[in-house]
Amino acid sequence: AQSVTQLDSHVSVSEGTPVLLRCNYSSSYSPSLFWYVQHPNKGLQLLLKYTSAATLVKGINGFEAEFKKSETSFHLTKPSAHMSDAAEYFCVVSSEYGNKLVFGAGTILRVKS
Amino acid sequence: GAGVSQSPSNKVTEKGKDVELRCDPISGHTALYWYRQSLGQGLEFLIYFQGNSAPDKSGLPSDRFSAERTGGSVSTLTIQRTQQEDSAVYLCASSARTGGALMLSPLHFGNGTRLTVT
């Protein structure tokens, strides 16, 4: 079975400083991994996805994530936080046959001015 | 174009009552999913419909929960004899899955229905 652990339930950064949201996964096969974002009172939106191509994945709004198999990690980063980045972020792994997504518990990102 | 639409956006019900939640997926999307998001929890898979195949109901928490998808489009999630622990945001998502895995067809989520059982 697959599982996802988001290591921080809350992260607070100042505007203009780097963002790091940590995610570790467990899977018995080569997984597909995703990051989704949910802004307040909005639906979930796909930020980026890893599907066994390049290990460094670039997404929307300047976010990127690096797949590290040796560390079973898929951390989300952004060089410079913007106020509009304040939201909840979910790290997600797909099931072996790709028909289900398993979501982490989420990390709430707060951006201070 | 129109995204995934869910109704109602908010539902308050008394313990023991039945509720129906509706999802209108994106037109042409063959795959439809229901998830539940409880306070402080991650998203919990409930049920998955793909075309005319038998649905994957493995995530439904009890036999009080059921879902159907009529005509391969609109879906309703029904919770019978609601309990306070059913309070959560229920999210519907669809994808244009055409036989490939989810990596090829990302999910599009609705804004959810916030269910409160008093």
Side-chain angles (χ1 to χ4, degrees), chain A residues 30-32 34 36 38 41-46 49-51 88 90 94 96-106, chain B residues 33 35 37 40-45 48 56 58-59 89 91 97 100-111 114:
Chain A
S30 295
S32 292
F34 309 76
Y36 281 83
Q38 186 172 27
N41 301 314
K42 301 278 190 182
L44 281 154
Q45 180 185 20
L46 179 66
K49 60 183 178 181
Y50 165 76
T51 58
E88 187 165 15
F90 292 91
S94 72
E96 183 171 6
Y97 300 106
N99 61 329
K100 291 183 206 177
L101 297 182
V102 177
F103 284 74
Chain B
Y33 304 74
Y35 285 85
Q37 186 175 17
Q41 305 289 322
L43 280 166
E44 176 188 5
F45 167 78
Y48 161 63
D56 177 355
S58 61
V89 175
L91 287 160
R97 185 176 173 189
L102 267 172
M103 69 272 288
L104 301 177
S105 304
L107 293 182
H108 298 263
F109 284 85
N111 286 338
R114 182 175 297 279

Side-chain angles (χ1 to χ4, degrees), chain B residues 84-95:
Chain B
Q84 288 185 329
E85 61 263 29
D86 300 335
S87 297
V89 175
Y90 289 81
L91 287 160
C92 176
S94 69
S95 78

